[in-house]
Amino acid sequence: MSQMVESHLPLHVPQVEGLIIPSRTRGHVVKMVDGNTALVRWEHTQSGVFILLLRLAQSLYFDCDREVIVTLDLLNRMMSFNQATCFALMDLGNSMNARETHITGQMQKIDLVEIICNLVRNLSSNPSNARVMSLVILILAKMLKCSPSHVTAVALKSNVFDLSLKTNSFDVGGTSSSSDSWLLSGRLAKMLFLDSEQNDSSYPLSISVLELTEQLIEAGVENDVVLALIVFSQHILVNHEYWKYKARHVRWEVTLKVLEVLKKCIVSVPRSQKMGEIIWDMLLCDSSIHNTLFRVICRTAESLEKLYVSRLWEPTEIQGLEAAICSVLDILSIMLSDFSKDFSSGSTVFHQAMMSSTKKPCPIVTSMISLISHFRNPEIQVGATRLLSMLCIIGDHSPPYLFGTSCFGPEDKQIADFRRSVYNVLSEQFLWNENLFVAVLKLLTSAARYQPAFLISVLDDKGKAEVLEALLQFAKRSDDLINSNPRVWLNVLNFLQALWQGASQYTDILKQLRSSGRLWKELSKYINIIAKTKPFSFQTLYKMEAQSLAYKYQCQAVILEIVACDMFLQRKLQLLNQKPDLSKEGIENGGFSGNVAKELCHFKDILSLSCDQSILGDLIQSSMSFDYDNEVTLRAKIAASLFAVHVMGKLATGDAGSLSVSLSKKIHVMSKKLSALPAFTELAAQYSQQGYSGGKELDLLILSDLYYHLQGELEGRKIESGPYKELSYYLLDSDFLQSYRSKSSEDLFSPADHVYLFNTLQIKTDMGLDLWKYSQWKPFESIGERMLICIQEANLMLLLSSSKLSALRAVVSVLSLNQEESTEDKSPTKREMSKQLNPSWIDHICRCFHSTLKSLSPVFYSSETILHFLAAQVELLLSLLKSNYKMIPINKHLLVLETSALGLRMLNDFIPSVAAVQRTMKLLLMLLLSSLECISFNLHSDNIGITEVRNTCLRLLPVLCNCLGNSENYALSLTVIDLMIKHCLVPNTWFPILQKHLQIQLLIQKLRDKDSLNLVPIILKFLLTLSHVKEGAEMLLISGFFPSLKLLFEKPPQHIWGLGLSVITSMIHSLGESSTYLDFIDSVINYFFKEKVYLISFYLNNPPVDFASDDRPDRKRARSQKRQTTLSSLKETENTLVLICVLAKNHRSSWVKAMKETDSQLRERSIHLLAFFSQATSPLLCPPLLKEEIDSYRNPSFVRSRNAWFALSALGCVPHSRSFSDISNKTTALILEDQSTENTTGGGSSTYFADTVGVQIYKISFLLLKYLLLEAKGAAKRAEELGFVDLAHFPELPMPEILHGLQNQAIAIVTEICDANKIKLIQPEIQSLCLLLLQIMEMSLYLELCVSQICGIRPVLGHVEGFSKEVKLLIKATEKHAFLKASMTELKRIMSLVFPHLSKAERFS
C-alpha cells in the first residue's frame, strides 16, 4: 500500500503558476525521488486535464515543443473520440473556473477556445511549427463545429489570423492590409509546401486549414477571414497537385478535402448574402480552377482500368483518384444545374470550357460517355451520367457560334460502347443499382429533349434497337413497379413522354413503340388503377406511403400527357390521310412516313382510353379532390415560431449553443423586431405595473410566456385575442425558414419539379441538433425535433399536392384536346367524344372547388399549390362548359355562376400581385363569361330558370365591380359585367347596383390614360350598354364622358371612331327630345359636323366612290381598283350614319340650324354612296384582316344567295393572296338584269364573312335612304307650312334609276331566300335580313314617289312591266312566311301609291 500524507499549509504546484493545493488535502505517495522529494497524487477536485490546459495556457514552456505537441495531440484525440468529450473539454473551464485560493482570494478562469486561439496567434510562421499549427487549427475547427458562435467570436476577438488592419474586403476600394498578416503574405503557403514534403504524420497542415475553412463556411460566417481562407483554398486547389509528398496517398487526401470545401462554397452561395456573388464569380470565371477540375475527370474508362494493373499506382491512390473523380462530377453537376441557362458574360468562360471539344487528353463529353462504361465503380457511372445529362441541356441552350455541335458527335466506337453500357444497365433483371438505372433513364430523357441526333445514334443500331427492346422488356414489370418502386417507373415514363413530344424527330422509334401492344395495355391498365384510387386523408398516410402516392400521381400525369400527345398526332395523321395527293416526301417532312392509314390502327387503345366515359369520370373524381391540410402547414409555422422564441431567450443570455452563426443572426434580428412591436411594449408595461423589474429579465419573462402560449397552440389550445396573439401573428408571418426553401431537384424531368420544399437537412445542420444532447441544450432537444417533424410533414403535403396537381392538369389537357378536336372534326369518333362528357361532373367539380377554397387563408401565407389547384379545377370546368354547352342544363350554369362568385369574392382578399391569384381570377372570369354566353343563348329560347339566373347575376355584380380594382383582369371583368347587364338583367335591377359599386369616374379617366389604350374598345362597349338606359346616359353626361371622348379622338386608336359615335348616339336617343339637354346636342353637332367634318366626309366616302365622266375602260378599271375597304371601316360608316339619322330625326331644329351651309354636301355624298351600292356591277375588295374575320371566312355562307352584293362579296371578300385581277376577270360580264337566274356560275364560293359584308352594305344603304327620306319629309313639311314647294331650297334626292337598282336587289334576294326555304323555317338572322331588304324597298318607293311628284317624272313603261313581274314573284314567294306579312302589307300600300293604275290592274293590294 502506498503511504498517505496530508498538507498542513497550501502548496504551490511547481511550473503551474496559480495552481495551489489547499491545506489539509490528503495524498498518496507514488514515488520517493530522494529523502526530501516525493511524487504525490493529491485527492483534489481539479482534473489532470485542467492542469494540462493551464500549462498549455502559460507561455513559460512554449519552447518545449515536445510537450505542446503531445498535449495538443491528446486533446485532438479526445475530441475526435466523440462529440461529448469535445463539449466536456470546452466546458471544463466553466465547471472549474472558480477556485478561490486561501492566500490571495482571487478567482481563476480558463477557456480552451481562448487558449487555442492564443496559440495560433503567437506561433511564429516557422516551418518547424507546421505540426503544432496543424493540430491547433484542427482542434479549433472541431470546437467551431460544437459552438460556432462562441468560437467565431473568440477567434475574431483574438485576431487569430492577424487581419485587424485590413479593410473590409467587400469594399472594392479597400487596399490597406497588415504587413504582418501571415495568412495573406504567403508565409502560410510556404508552410504548407514544406509541410507536404516533410510531414509523414496524419495531421497535414493543408487538411487542417481546409477543415477550418469548411467549418466556417458551414457555420455561415461571413467576414474577411472566411473570404481570405476561401481564396487560400483556391490556391491549394490549383497548386497542391504540384507539391511533393512524403506519403503519396496524402495528395489525394488533400484533393478530396479541397474539393469538399469547394462543394461547401457552392452550396452556401444561395444562403450567403455578401460572399455568394464573389464566390460564384470566382468559380465561373477562374480558368485555373476549371483546368484543375478537368484534369481530374478528363479520363476514360480504359485509362482507369490500366491503373489497376500498373505498378506505379498503389490501391490507396486509385481509391483516392476515383473518389476525387466522383467529387468533381458532383461539383460540376451542381454548378450546371444552378446555372444551366445563364450565359451572361460572367458564366460564359465556364460553359465554354465545359463544352470545348479541344480539351486534352479528351473532351469532357467524350470522357463522360466513356466513364459511364466504368462498371468497376458505379459511383463514377452515376456521376458521369448525371453530368452528361446536364451537358445535353447546356449544349442545346448554347449559342452555336460559341460551342458548335461537334462535342455531341462522338466516334462510332464510342457510341457502340456507350450503347452497350446503357443496354447492360437497362437489361438488368434486378435493380442492383437503382441510382444508376434512374440516372441512365434521365440521361436518355435529357438527350431526347435536347440532343435528338445523339439519342438517335444511340438507339439506332442498324435496325436492332437493343436499348428500346430492353426498355420494353422492363416495362412489362410495371405491375410490380407501380407498388414497389413508382419512382423508377416514373423515369421510364418521362423518357417515353420526351419521345412523344419530339415525335417529328423520332418517327421510326415511335413506330417501334406503337407496334408494342403491351406498352399501350400497361399504360391503360395503370390509368384504370390510379383512377380508382380512393380519397385519402393525409393524417392516415405514413411517410413512405405519401411519397409512393406522390410518384403514382406523377406517373398518371405523364401517361395522360403521352395520351394527349398521341391524340394530337392522330389528328395530324388523319389530316394527312384526307389528302391523298400528298407526296411521300411531304408526309415524311411532317414527321410521319409510310402508309398513314396503317399507322392509325395503333391508336385504338389510346382513343378508347381518352373517350371512355367511365375512365374519364374516375379520373375526374380522383384528381379533383384536393386533400391539402392547411393545418399541417400551420403546425410547421407554429413549431418554427416556438423554436425561434426558445432561441431568442437563449441568445438573450449569451448562449447560442450549436446554432450556426447565420441562423443565430436571423433569429437575433427577429428578436429585435419582435421587441419593437407595440404589442411587446404593451406587455412590458403590463408586467411593470404588476411589479416586475424592467430590462433583460422582463424581456425574458415575456418570451417565456410567449413560448408557452405557442406551445399551447401547437397542442390545440388557441391563443386568445390580445398582445400575445399579435406577437404570434408576427412570428407566423415572418417565417424565417423561407430562406431554406428551394426547388425540389430529385427528379429533373418530373411533372412536379417546380415544387419548393424546405431543406430539412440544411435546417438540421444549422441548428446543430445532433450536438444538443452533449450540451446544456439537451432538455430542449424535443423542440428542434418536433419542428423538423412538422416541416417534413409540410414537405410531404406539398409534394403530394403538387403531384396531384400535375395529374389534374394532365386530365385538363386530354379533355381540352377532346373538346378542340370535336369542334373541328365531325367524325363518329369525335362525336362520340363529345357525347361522353357527362354534365353531372360539374356538380363534383364545384364541390371540390368549394372544398379547396376552404384551404385558403388570407391571414397566413397559403401555399401557391392551392391557388394552382384552384386554377386547374376552373380550367377543367371551363373545358367541360365549352365542349358541352348545348347539353348542360340551366341549373348547372347557375351552380357555375355561384362557384365563380364565391371564388372571386375570396380571392379579392388576397394580395393581387401574386401571379397565381391573378391567373386563377382570370380563369374564373373566363368561366363566368363562357357560362353567361350559354345562359344568354338559352334564355332567348327557354324562360326556365330566368328568375334564378337574374338573382344570381345581381349578387355577382358587386363582386365583379370589386374585380375592376385589379388592373390585370380589368378588361375581362368589364366584359363580363357588360355581357351580364346586356343579356341577363333588366335595367331597373342592375343600374342601382352599378351606381353604388361602380366608380364611373375612374372608368372614364382610363379613356385619357395612354397606358390603357388597349382597354378603350372594351370600355366604350360597356359605356354603350350603359347609355341605353336614360339614367346611364345622364351618368355619362355628368361624369364628363363627352370631353374625354373628344380628347381621345385627337389621336384615336384604330376602330374607335364608330364605337365612340355609337355611345354618343345612344346617349342622345336615351336622353330624348327634352330641352334640358339642348346644350349637349348643340355641342355634339358642332364638334362632329364642324370640327370633325372631315372625318364625317371620310366615312361617307367609304368605299371611295368616284363618278368621273370618263368611261374609258382603263379609267373604269383604275376606279375599280380604288374601291377597297374593310369590314371595320364599313361599320364605322354605319355608326356615322346612325348618328346623322338620330340627330336629323329627334333634334330637327338644332340639326337644320347647324347644318345650313353643309347639308347639301352631306346629301350629295350620301346619294353618291347610295348610287354605288345601287349599281352592284363590280366587286368591292374587302379582305378579312382580323382574327374573327379570318375565322368567319373559313365558315360557309349563311345567306346562300347568288344575287346582288352577296354574289359580288363572294368574289371580293377574299384574303390578300388573291389579286384583284383574278377577281375582276371573273366579274367582267356580271350584270343584274336577270338576277333571278344563276348568272354567277363563274364566281367564287360564298363564305360567312362575305355574307357579313353584304349585310353590312345593305345596312348602310338602309341608313342612307332613311337620312334622305328624313330630309324629304322635312322639305314636305316646310312646303305645307309655306303652301308651295320651294324648288330652289328643295333637298337633293336620288335619281329614280338609283332607287330602281336597290328595289331590284331587294326583290331578287328576298324571293331567292323564300323560295329556297319553302319547307324549313328561316333562321332569325336571315329573317332580319329579309325585313331589312323589304324596308329598303319600301323607303326607296317613298323616295321615288316624292321625286315623281316634285319633279313630275312619270314611271318608264319598260321598268313598270319588269317591276310588276318581279313583284308578283316576290308576293308568291313570301305568302308562306308569316314573319313577312306586315312588311308586305306596308309594301303593297306604298306600291299602290307609286303605281296606282298598275296596282288596280295587277291587284297588288
Side-chain angles (χ1 to χ4, degrees):
M1 295 183 61
S2 60
Q3 184 179 357
M4 300 294 296
V5 294
E6 181 178 348
S7 63
H8 298 286
L9 296 173
L11 300 177
H12 291 272
V13 178
Q15 299 181 357
V16 182
E17 183 180 352
L19 183 59
I20 299 174
I21 303 298
S23 60
R24 297 182 181 180
T25 302
R26 295 170 60 87
H28 297 271
V29 177
V30 178
K31 181 180 180 182
M32 292 297 299
V33 180
D34 54 32
N36 297 322
T37 306
L39 180 62
V40 180
R41 178 167 59 82
W42 296 101
E43 295 178 354
H44 188 40
T45 55
Q46 291 287 11
S47 168
V49 176
F50 182 72
I51 298 173
L52 288 178
L53 293 182
L54 283 178
R55 286 182 57 82
L56 193 61
Q58 294 171 2
S59 59
L60 298 178
Y61 301 98
F62 276 162
D63 294 334
C64 186
D65 293 338
R66 179 62 183 170
E67 182 177 346
V68 172
I69 291 175
V70 170
T71 304
L72 292 174
D73 184 63
L74 176 62
L75 292 174
N76 180 58
R77 291 175 184 273
M78 293 175 68
M79 290 182 175
S80 302
F81 179 71
N82 59 36
Q83 297 293 342
T85 306
C86 186
F87 272 97
L89 288 172
M90 293 179 64
D91 195 51
L92 187 63
N94 294 327
S95 61
M96 307 182 74
N97 62 352
R99 301 300 180 191
E100 182 177 359
T101 63
H102 294 284
I103 300 175
T104 61
Q106 294 178 348
M107 303 290 290
Q108 181 160 344
K109 179 179 179 181
I110 64 169
D111 188 345
L112 179 59
V113 180
E114 291 184 1
I115 294 173
I116 298 300
C117 289
N118 287 329
L119 273 173
V120 176
R121 177 173 175 78
N122 295 326
L123 273 176
S124 63
S125 56
N126 191 321
S128 61
N129 289 329
R131 188 178 181 188
V132 178
M133 180 67 70
S134 176
L135 285 169
V136 170
I137 293 178
L138 196 57
I139 292 172
L140 188 63
K142 291 178 179 179
M143 292 190 298
L144 182 66
K145 185 175 183 180
C146 294
S147 182
S149 297
H150 173 62
V151 175
T152 303
V154 173
L156 290 177
K157 183 180 179 181
S158 303
N159 195 15
V160 173
F161 297 107
D162 195 16
L163 291 173
S164 59
L165 299 180
K166 186 180 181 298
T167 59
N168 188 355
S169 61
F170 301 108
D171 183 6
V172 179
T175 58
S176 173
S177 64
S178 171
S179 60
D180 295 330
S181 178
W182 61 276
L183 176 62
L184 300 179
S185 64
R187 277 176 271 176
L188 179 59
K190 186 177 180 181
M191 286 179 67
L192 292 179
F193 179 73
L194 295 175
D195 179 66
S196 65
E197 291 183 340
Q198 302 173 5
N199 192 345
D200 59 352
S201 68
S202 58
Y203 305 116
L205 178 58
S206 54
I207 292 181
S208 299
V209 173
L210 291 170
E211 176 67 23
L212 178 63
T213 306
E214 181 182 358
Q215 293 302 325
L216 286 169
I217 294 171
E218 190 170 317
V221 182
E222 295 188 49
N223 53 35
D224 292 337
V225 173
V226 180
L227 185 60
L229 286 172
I230 291 174
V231 174
F232 193 76
S233 300
Q234 175 196 1
H235 166 79
I236 298 176
L237 173 66
V238 174
N239 296 284
H240 79 280
E241 61 182 303
Y242 304 110
W243 296 346
K244 296 179 182 180
Y245 295 91
K246 196 169 183 179
R248 291 167 55 183
H249 67 276
V250 176
R251 186 265 194 206
W252 295 109
E253 293 178 2
V254 176
T255 302
L256 290 173
K257 197 62 186 180
V258 74
L259 291 175
E260 192 175 337
V261 172
L262 184 61
K263 189 185 298 185
K264 290 289 183 182
C265 289
I266 296 172
V267 173
S268 68
V269 166
R271 298 182 291 111
S272 178
Q273 299 177 353
K274 298 179 180 179
M275 297 191 302
E277 185 177 351
I278 298 174
I279 295 174
W280 203 244
D281 286 343
M282 178 182 70
L283 293 175
L284 293 179
C285 302
D286 193 332
S287 59
S288 63
I289 296 178
H290 306 158
N291 293 332
T292 302
L293 297 177
F294 298 156
R295 279 194 294 272
V296 176
I297 64 169
C298 284
R299 302 170 188 271
T300 61
E302 293 81 2
S303 65
L304 288 179
E305 287 294 333
K306 291 179 181 179
L307 297 181
Y308 283 90
V309 296
S310 173
R311 294 177 298 171
L312 303 177
W313 283 74
E314 298 177 358
T316 54
E317 292 183 84
I318 298 175
Q319 293 174 5
L321 170 60
E322 292 189 345
I325 291 174
C326 294
S327 183
V328 172
L329 292 174
D330 195 19
I331 288 171
L332 295 177
S333 296
I334 295 173
M335 292 178 67
L336 289 179
S337 63
D338 288 343
F339 284 81
S340 58
K341 296 183 181 180
D342 183 9
F343 289 95
S344 61
S345 58
S347 61
T348 302
V349 175
F350 172 67
H351 289 95
Q352 278 185 322
M354 288 294 297
M355 301 303 297
S356 174
S357 58
T358 60
K359 283 291 176 186
K360 300 299 181 182
C362 61
I364 293 178
V365 172
T366 304
S367 178
M368 295 306 102
I369 293 175
S370 178
L371 289 177
I372 292 173
S373 304
H374 187 55
F375 283 89
R376 190 185 289 269
N377 191 328
E379 292 184 6
I380 291 181
Q381 288 181 285
V382 173
T385 306
R386 289 174 177 170
L387 182 57
L388 189 57
S389 300
M390 297 307 306
L391 290 174
C392 289
I393 302 175
I394 295 297
D396 179 66
H397 291 94
S398 304
Y401 65 88
L402 283 180
F403 309 145
T405 57
S406 59
C407 58
F408 276 98
E411 299 176 356
D412 293 340
K413 183 180 181 304
Q414 294 172 337
I415 288 293
D417 293 340
F418 178 71
R419 185 188 302 116
R420 192 178 307 110
S421 300
V422 172
Y423 174 77
N424 290 335
V425 173
L426 297 182
S427 60
E428 288 289 339
Q429 186 175 1
F430 302 101
L431 288 178
W432 61 275
N433 192 328
E434 181 182 327
N435 290 334
L436 179 58
F437 188 91
V438 171
V440 169
L441 286 173
K442 290 181 180 179
L443 171 58
L444 294 177
T445 306
S446 180
R449 292 179 186 270
Y450 304 107
Q451 298 296 334
F454 174 66
L455 179 69
I456 291 173
S457 66
V458 172
L459 297 183
D460 187 13
D461 185 17
K462 299 179 180 180
K464 294 181 181 179
E466 294 179 349
V467 175
L468 281 181
E469 289 297 329
L471 202 60
L472 289 174
Q473 289 296 324
F474 186 83
K476 293 180 180 179
R477 301 165 52 191
S478 61
D479 291 343
D480 298 331
L481 292 173
I482 288 172
N483 296 315
S484 63
N485 202 334
R487 173 173 173 259
V488 175
W489 181 232
L490 173 62
N491 283 277
V492 175
L493 294 173
N494 284 335
F495 173 56
L496 295 176
Q497 182 190 23
L499 293 177
W500 254 269
Q501 289 176 342
S504 61
Q505 297 169 320
Y506 305 120
T507 307
D508 296 334
I509 297 174
L510 291 182
K511 188 184 297 183
Q512 296 181 42
L513 292 173
R514 287 195 183 103
S515 63
S516 173
R518 178 73 178 177
L519 178 62
W520 295 121
K521 291 179 182 178
E522 294 297 335
L523 297 182
S524 303
K525 184 193 301 182
Y526 186 86
I527 288 297
N528 283 322
I529 293 174
I530 195 68
K532 297 182 184 301
T533 302
K534 296 181 180 179
F536 61 90
S537 173
F538 179 79
Q539 301 295 341
T540 62
L541 292 176
Y542 294 105
K543 178 180 179 181
M544 297 305 298
E545 289 178 341
Q547 289 180 340
S548 177
L549 190 58
Y551 280 122
K552 288 180 181 179
Y553 279 122
Q554 293 179 44
C555 290
Q556 174 189 334
V558 177
I559 292 176
L560 290 177
E561 290 295 341
I562 293 175
V563 171
C565 289
D566 217 63
M567 292 172 61
F568 177 79
L569 293 177
Q570 183 225 10
R571 176 62 179 164
K572 296 301 179 183
L573 284 169
Q574 287 181 339
L575 291 176
L576 291 174
N577 200 37
Q578 294 169 4
K579 298 180 180 179
D581 56 327
L582 284 177
S583 64
K584 180 179 179 181
E585 179 183 359
I587 294 176
E588 289 179 348
N589 290 339
F592 308 98
S593 60
N595 190 346
V596 179
K598 183 179 179 181
E599 292 194 9
L600 288 174
C601 67
H602 297 296
F603 293 96
K604 292 181 180 179
D605 291 333
I606 259 344
L607 286 178
S608 63
L609 177 65
S610 62
C611 299
D612 188 86
Q613 183 181 19
S614 62
I615 295 178
L616 287 177
D618 289 339
L619 284 174
I620 291 175
Q621 292 283 342
S622 64
S623 301
M624 282 301 301
S625 60
F626 186 61
D627 304 290
Y628 189 92
D629 189 354
N630 213 36
E631 288 297 321
V632 175
T633 305
L634 184 58
R635 279 179 57 84
K637 294 177 182 294
I638 296 174
S641 301
L642 189 69
F643 167 78
V645 172
H646 168 72
V647 174
M648 288 178 190
K650 287 291 186 180
L651 293 178
T653 60
D655 182 11
S658 300
L659 299 179
S660 69
V661 176
S662 57
L663 182 58
S664 298
K665 286 184 178 179
K666 290 177 186 176
I667 298 180
H668 182 67
V669 171
M670 281 183 61
S671 178
K672 283 188 174 180
K673 293 181 179 179
L674 183 72
S675 60
L677 292 175
F680 197 93
T681 306
E682 181 182 347
L683 286 172
Q686 292 178 6
Y687 279 63
S688 299
Q689 290 175 359
Q690 296 175 8
Y692 292 98
S693 60
K696 183 184 295 184
E697 290 77 11
L698 183 58
D699 292 347
L700 288 174
L701 182 59
I702 295 174
L703 289 175
S704 176
D705 289 351
L706 177 59
Y707 172 85
Y708 287 109
H709 276 85
L710 290 171
Q711 188 178 39
E713 186 162 12
L714 190 61
E715 295 171 355
R717 301 186 300 274
K718 298 298 182 182
I719 302 176
E720 296 181 358
S721 300
Y724 282 110
K725 189 71 171 179
E726 294 180 17
L727 294 180
S728 67
Y729 278 160
Y730 166 77
L731 292 171
L732 293 175
D733 288 337
S734 61
D735 204 1
F736 75 97
L737 293 180
Q738 283 303 310
S739 59
Y740 292 99
R741 293 187 74 207
S742 60
K743 183 178 177 181
S744 176
S745 58
E746 183 177 358
D747 289 295
L748 183 61
F749 303 106
S750 168
D753 64 338
H754 294 296
V755 59
Y756 283 79
L757 304 177
F758 293 104
N759 189 342
T760 54
L761 183 60
Q762 186 61 50
I763 295 173
K764 188 175 182 180
T765 301
D766 284 355
M767 289 169 59
L769 186 61
D770 292 337
L771 304 175
W772 285 23
K773 56 187 175 183
Y774 306 121
S775 67
Q776 297 177 359
W777 287 45
K778 183 177 181 179
F780 314 106
E781 190 176 1
S782 59
I783 300 173
E785 291 176 347
R786 180 164 46 183
M787 181 183 73
L788 287 177
I789 291 173
C790 292
I791 292 174
Q792 287 173 351
E793 290 179 352
N795 277 346
L796 281 176
M797 174 64 72
L798 285 171
L799 180 62
L800 191 57
S801 57
S802 298
S803 301
K804 200 167 187 179
L805 172 62
S806 64
L808 176 58
R809 285 173 171 171
V811 174
V812 173
S813 299
V814 172
L815 289 179
S816 298
L817 278 171
N818 271 337
Q819 183 266 326
E820 290 176 6
E821 295 189 7
S822 63
T823 57
E824 297 178 4
D825 193 356
K826 305 304 178 183
S827 64
T829 302
K830 296 306 175 185
R831 287 197 295 270
E832 185 65 22
M833 287 181 182
S834 182
K835 291 179 183 178
Q836 296 296 341
L837 299 179
N838 192 341
S840 64
W841 296 338
I842 294 177
D843 294 328
H844 178 69
I845 297 174
C846 290
R847 285 196 301 270
C848 292
F849 183 84
H850 291 168
S851 176
T852 309
L853 272 179
K854 295 178 182 178
S855 301
L856 287 175
S857 174
V859 178
F860 307 117
Y861 170 82
S862 292
S863 170
E864 285 194 13
T865 305
I866 304 178
L867 296 170
H868 292 317
F869 208 92
L870 284 171
Q873 288 174 329
V874 177
E875 275 188 283
L876 182 58
L877 198 55
L878 187 60
S879 179
L880 288 176
L881 241 62
K882 288 183 177 179
S883 61
N884 238 11
Y885 69 95
K886 292 183 179 179
M887 300 174 58
I888 298 176
I890 195 72
N891 63 322
K892 304 297 182 186
H893 286 294
L894 283 172
L895 180 60
V896 171
L897 291 181
E898 294 285 358
T899 301
S900 303
L902 180 63
L904 289 172
R905 189 179 297 112
M906 192 161 185
L907 289 175
N908 267 333
D909 296 332
F910 282 77
I911 302 173
S913 59
V914 178
V917 174
Q918 297 287 354
R919 184 172 182 273
T920 308
M921 291 185 68
K922 180 180 179 180
L923 288 169
L924 283 170
L925 290 169
M926 292 174 62
L927 181 65
L928 267 178
L929 189 62
S930 179
S931 187
L932 286 172
E933 288 174 349
C934 300
I935 288 174
S936 61
F937 175 80
N938 293 330
L939 285 179
H940 288 93
S941 58
D942 192 355
N943 290 328
I944 299 177
I946 188 170
T947 303
E948 291 82 357
V949 170
R950 287 177 175 172
N951 291 336
T952 303
C953 289
L954 288 175
R955 290 193 297 270
L956 257 173
L957 269 182
V959 179
L960 292 171
C961 290
N962 289 336
C963 291
L964 291 175
N966 185 349
S967 59
E968 294 290 332
N969 296 315
Y970 192 94
L972 201 53
S973 302
L974 197 60
T975 303
V976 173
I977 295 174
D978 187 24
L979 180 64
M980 186 179 293
I981 65 177
K982 187 184 296 184
H983 297 292
C984 303
L985 296 173
V986 291
N988 62 344
T989 59
W990 60 257
F991 184 79
I993 297 176
L994 290 187
Q995 194 174 26
K996 179 179 179 181
H997 296 279
L998 181 66
Q999 297 180 347
I1000 190 68
Q1001 290 287 355
L1002 296 179
L1003 191 70
I1004 294 176
Q1005 284 178 9
K1006 284 190 175 293
L1007 296 176
R1008 305 182 181 185
D1009 187 3
K1010 295 181 180 179
D1011 297 330
S1012 303
L1013 291 180
N1014 60 321
L1015 297 176
V1016 169
I1018 298 170
I1019 294 175
L1020 289 178
K1021 288 179 182 178
F1022 170 73
L1023 296 180
L1024 177 61
T1025 304
L1026 190 64
S1027 64
H1028 290 332
V1029 183
K1030 182 177 181 180
E1031 293 83 356
E1034 292 175 343
M1035 180 188 293
L1036 294 180
L1037 188 63
I1038 296 172
S1039 302
F1041 166 71
F1042 188 48
S1044 298
L1045 184 66
K1046 291 195 291 184
L1047 188 62
L1048 181 64
F1049 278 168
E1050 294 302 318
K1051 293 182 180 180
Q1054 195 174 10
H1055 308 312
I1056 294 302
W1057 172 262
L1059 272 176
L1061 289 185
S1062 297
V1063 179
I1064 295 298
T1065 303
S1066 178
M1067 289 176 63
I1068 294 173
H1069 181 79
S1070 299
L1071 293 174
E1073 301 180 10
S1074 173
S1075 59
T1076 309
Y1077 310 109
L1078 286 180
D1079 292 340
F1080 170 64
I1081 302 300
D1082 291 341
S1083 62
V1084 169
I1085 297 175
N1086 181 68
Y1087 177 73
F1088 285 108
F1089 296 94
K1090 291 186 179 180
E1091 296 182 28
K1092 298 295 181 180
V1093 67
Y1094 62 92
L1095 287 176
I1096 299 292
S1097 301
F1098 172 79
Y1099 285 108
L1100 289 181
N1101 194 33
N1102 178 45
V1105 180
D1106 183 12
F1107 286 91
S1109 59
D1110 193 347
D1111 292 334
R1112 288 177 295 176
D1114 58 337
R1115 295 290 185 180
K1116 288 184 177 180
R1117 184 162 55 251
R1119 290 198 301 268
S1120 298
Q1121 290 177 351
K1122 294 180 181 179
R1123 291 166 188 163
Q1124 180 170 346
T1125 186
T1126 63
L1127 180 59
S1128 299
S1129 298
L1130 291 175
K1131 290 180 179 179
E1132 305 278 8
T1133 301
E1134 177 192 1
N1135 292 323
T1136 303
L1137 287 169
V1138 169
L1139 176 63
I1140 292 174
C1141 292
V1142 168
L1143 290 172
K1145 179 182 179 181
N1146 297 342
H1147 300 278
R1148 188 71 191 173
S1149 57
S1150 299
W1151 173 258
V1152 172
K1153 181 179 178 181
M1155 298 295 293
K1156 283 183 179 180
E1157 300 179 358
T1158 58
D1159 58 348
S1160 178
Q1161 298 176 3
L1162 188 61
R1163 288 190 294 270
E1164 287 181 2
R1165 286 188 177 276
S1166 301
I1167 293 171
H1168 285 175
L1169 187 56
L1170 190 66
F1172 171 72
F1173 292 148
S1174 172
Q1175 290 180 357
T1177 55
S1178 60
L1180 177 66
L1181 296 185
C1182 184
L1185 300 178
L1186 303 177
K1187 180 183 182 299
E1188 296 81 3
E1189 297 174 357
I1190 295 174
D1191 292 340
S1192 65
Y1193 175 77
R1194 295 169 180 163
N1195 295 329
S1197 167
F1198 66 94
V1199 178
R1200 296 184 179 86
S1201 173
R1202 303 290 290 174
N1203 285 288
W1205 280 108
F1206 292 108
L1208 293 173
S1209 296
L1211 301 173
C1213 299
V1214 295
H1216 282 296
S1217 57
R1218 296 177 58 183
S1219 64
F1220 178 80
S1221 60
D1222 295 334
I1223 298 170
S1224 60
N1225 290 335
K1226 296 181 180 180
T1227 58
T1228 304
L1230 184 62
I1231 56 175
L1232 296 175
E1233 311 309 323
D1234 187 15
Q1235 294 178 354
S1236 62
T1237 63
E1238 292 294 326
N1239 56 5
T1240 59
T1241 55
S1245 60
S1246 186
T1247 64
Y1248 194 99
F1249 174 72
D1251 288 351
T1252 304
V1253 174
V1255 172
Q1256 192 64 35
I1257 289 174
Y1258 288 115
K1259 286 182 179 179
I1260 295 174
S1261 301
F1262 168 79
L1263 292 170
L1264 289 170
L1265 289 171
K1266 184 177 181 180
Y1267 166 63
L1268 294 172
L1269 195 59
L1270 287 172
E1271 292 293 293
K1273 286 182 179 179
K1277 185 177 181 180
R1278 287 197 302 272
E1280 290 179 1
E1281 293 174 353
L1282 295 175
F1284 64 94
V1285 177
D1286 186 4
L1287 294 177
H1289 296 89
F1290 200 82
E1292 297 83 350
L1293 295 176
M1295 295 290 290
E1297 290 81 1
I1298 298 174
L1299 302 174
H1300 294 164
L1302 293 173
Q1303 294 166 13
N1304 292 338
Q1305 293 179 36
I1307 293 173
I1309 296 171
V1310 175
T1311 303
E1312 179 187 17
I1313 292 174
C1314 291
D1315 286 340
N1317 296 274
K1318 291 180 179 179
I1319 302 176
K1320 58 183 179 180
L1321 182 67
I1322 300 178
Q1323 295 297 322
E1325 53 185 351
I1326 309 299
Q1327 292 183 14
S1328 300
L1329 173 63
C1330 292
L1331 294 173
L1332 175 67
L1333 291 170
L1334 292 180
Q1335 284 181 310
I1336 288 175
M1337 186 176 176
E1338 180 183 347
M1339 288 191 294
S1340 64
L1341 287 172
Y1342 271 113
L1343 281 175
E1344 185 176 358
L1345 177 63
C1346 182
V1347 171
S1348 63
Q1349 290 183 353
I1350 297 298
C1351 302
I1353 301 176
R1354 294 181 175 275
V1356 179
L1357 184 60
H1359 167 69
V1360 174
E1361 293 176 354
F1363 181 79
S1364 174
K1365 183 179 178 180
E1366 293 174 0
V1367 167
K1368 288 180 181 179
L1369 294 175
L1370 174 64
I1371 294 174
K1372 183 179 179 181
T1374 58
E1375 286 177 349
K1376 296 182 179 181
H1377 299 283
F1379 73 95
L1380 295 176
K1381 184 177 181 180
S1383 297
M1384 290 301 299
T1385 301
E1386 289 297 321
L1387 191 61
K1388 290 174 183 178
R1389 189 177 66 81
I1390 185 59
M1391 284 191 297
S1392 65
L1393 296 176
V1394 179
F1395 308 108
H1397 304 292
L1398 185 63
S1399 173
K1400 294 178 181 180
E1402 301 295 343
R1403 296 180 182 179
F1404 285 161
S1405 56

